[in-house]
Amino acid sequence: MNLFRKKNVDKVLADAAAGYGDGEVGHSLNKTLGVRDLTVLGIAAVVGAGIFSTIGKASFEGGPGIILLFIFVAVACGFSALCYAEFAGMVPVSGSAYTYSYVAFGEIIAWIIGWDLLMEYAIGNIVVAISWSGYFVDLLANIHIDALGINGIHVPAWLTIDYFSAKAQNGLAWQTAPTLLGLKLICDLPAFVIVAIITWITYVGIRESKNSATVMVGIKMGVILLVIFVGAFYVTPDNWVPFLPNKMSGVLKGIASVFFAYIGFDAISTTAEECKNPQRDLPLGMIYSLIICTVIYVAMALVLTGMVNYSELNVEEPLSFVFNRVGLKWIAMVVAISAVIATASVLLVFQVGQPRIWLAMSRDGLLPKIFSKIHPVYKTPSFSTLLTGVVVAIPTLFVNMDVMVDLTSIGTLFAFALVSAGILKMHANPNRPPSKFTIPFINAQFLFPALIAAGLGYWVWADMASLQEYFGWHEGFVFTNLREILPHYLFAAVLLTLAVLGFKYRLSLIPLLGFVSCSYLLSESGATNWERFIVWLIIGLIVYFLYSYKNSRLAHVRS
């Protein structure tokens, strides 16, 4: 039972107030963030590579109806955001889902989610850094200044790609790369450089990070509004017909791409100890940023699919493509500049988030004390920030991005699901700690089973072929490819179990829907990603039992 030893909320708050830096009282984080700052950080994290890249592929798969998927994923994230907000009002300290799970479920679950978050942030940062490199290199190549005789600035191809991709493509990068001791020197140097710059900004202070994010968000929001306003004049309503060209099955194919666009909002909760009034400001910052970003994504998807036919949008840079397509090349250049700024702002928020997860785990004894060391001048988690920079920067030199995206999404969904489940568990405790933000209680006893029946009925009526594909049914209801469809059956089992529990215990509807939404998206994450994720969790459990279990602060308290 010691595996499920829990943290007492009062003790958590007392520890945070005392400031557990490197094990000594007095080294606390700077409290400088308000609602506006948190909203800006949320927008900085969410409006990035998704709107400049993955929105194109998602629109190609689902047509104009992709806005339904943006709304669905936003609602799913919204349920989880409300759960995050209630936890933030209850336990306003660093640590995000890790700390919340420690309070709700106990140490072993907290370790699992903390280990998961380390993967999520690190891999997410690597993906964003590599994406930034691509935008930056393309921007330099398209700079033309006739007065100075500049016709594009071209970075050597072997400095803009990872080794394995270059070898597989056998293109210019592989052919022109210098050789040392029989090994071709190939790396993604711009990605490494931007991580180094962002790490320095986050190291010197949360105020500097906040100010940098504010500037970058201001620029990219201005560009996005310009794109929506100008693009609206080139919309042809006929391009929105048919609205669902590939039915709902086509829309659902974009889940990984669309969800990747939203994964950043939970990073706000890692800054709890740097908020002036976290119990009020964190919930508002999360909700405001999610609403603003959803409106932006829906508007952008409508403009894109209205300017050109959805079938033309399977491109890496959809915004630049559509404006070049209608002859507005100057807008395409502005979009390219904004893409560089937008992805840098996402990287900034992620680089702020991960060190604070390490900080929280170190305070609890699950990681060595050096991870919770606070810089005496900058008031930031100094060692953890630098280590985050190293852990992200070095892989960006040689890692392939494609393998990383889905693994990032599955880690985030896992965290969202556990936070929603944590609120369900806390609501079941009549002696739970008070929170300045409480999710309104809606009795799920009859409503949740009715929603399940209505959703299944619509699925059968609207797109039976998609339902058969989801469950692996073919002619004669023969099951095929069990490895791929097993997560779907596990989700169906979870759904039925929750329907029974919701009816029996009168569970709260909103966190229940949050858990179910994330569980559904997890079922769509693919068997390969699940296998990689499980391997990562097994490695984490080995670390826990070799070091963290015996060094936990709770272990010493109980002994």
Side-chain angles (χ1 to χ4, degrees), residues 9 22 93 96 151 173 210 262 277 279 282 300 312-313 359 383 405 417 438 442 447 484 496 513 538 558-559:
V9 174
D22 51 3
V93 299
S96 184
N151 188 24
K210 174 190 72 175
Y262 280 97
N277 186 356
Q279 292 172 309
L282 271 173
M300 189 64 77
E312 300 180 54
L313 289 172
L359 166 72
F383 175 81
V405 173
T438 303
I442 302 174
L447 187 55
E484 290 293 335
L496 292 175
L513 291 176
I538 290 173
R558 294 184 182 270
S559 61

Side-chain angles (χ1 to χ4, degrees), residues 462-506:
D463 197 355
M464 185 62 183
S466 175
L467 180 66
Q468 290 176 317
E469 181 181 352
Y470 181 80
F471 285 109
W473 299 337
H474 293 274
E475 293 183 9
F477 293 98
V478 175
F479 300 105
T480 60
N481 201 3
L482 183 61
R483 174 176 168 271
E484 290 293 335
I485 65 171
L486 181 59
H488 299 168
Y489 282 93
L490 291 176
F491 169 71
V494 167
L495 196 63
L496 292 175
T497 302
L498 289 175
V500 173
L501 293 177
F503 182 84
K504 183 177 181 179
Y505 295 107
R506 299 184 178 184

Side-chain angles (χ1 to χ4, degrees), residues 71-107:
I71 294 171
F72 170 72
V73 174
V75 170
C77 289
F79 293 141
S80 299
L82 292 172
C83 295
Y84 268 93
E86 181 163 340
F87 264 126
M90 187 186 306
V91 196
V93 299
S94 292
S96 184
Y98 159 76
T99 299
Y100 307 154
S101 296
Y102 217 146
V103 170
F105 298 110
E107 187 170 281

Side-chain angles (χ1 to χ4, degrees), residues 113 116 119-120 406-416 533:
I113 197 62
D116 163 58
M119 178 199 72
E120 172 199 332
D406 289 342
L407 197 55
T408 301
S409 296
I410 196 173
T412 308
L413 282 167
F414 188 71
F416 286 4
F533 182 60

Side-chain angles (χ1 to χ4, degrees), residues 57-81:
K57 182 179 179 181
S59 298
F60 170 76
E61 297 284 1
I66 196 63
I67 65 169
L68 300 177
L69 186 56
F70 276 113
I71 294 171
F72 170 72
V73 174
V75 170
C77 289
F79 293 141
S80 299

Side-chain angles (χ1 to χ4, degrees), residues 46 58 65-81 248 251-265 290-291 293-295 297-298 409 412-413 416 513-514 516-518 520-522 524:
V46 174
I66 196 63
I67 65 169
L68 300 177
L69 186 56
F70 276 113
I71 294 171
F72 170 72
V73 174
V75 170
C77 289
F79 293 141
S80 299
M248 283 304 297
V251 172
L252 293 175
K253 287 181 180 179
I255 279 182
S257 299
V258 170
F259 184 76
F260 183 75
Y262 280 97
I263 65 175
F265 87 87
L290 189 62
I291 292 172
C293 293
T294 301
V295 172
Y297 275 124
V298 169
S409 296
T412 308
L413 282 167
F416 286 4
L513 291 176
V516 168
S517 300
C518 293
Y520 169 73
L521 294 174
L522 280 170
E524 292 280 8

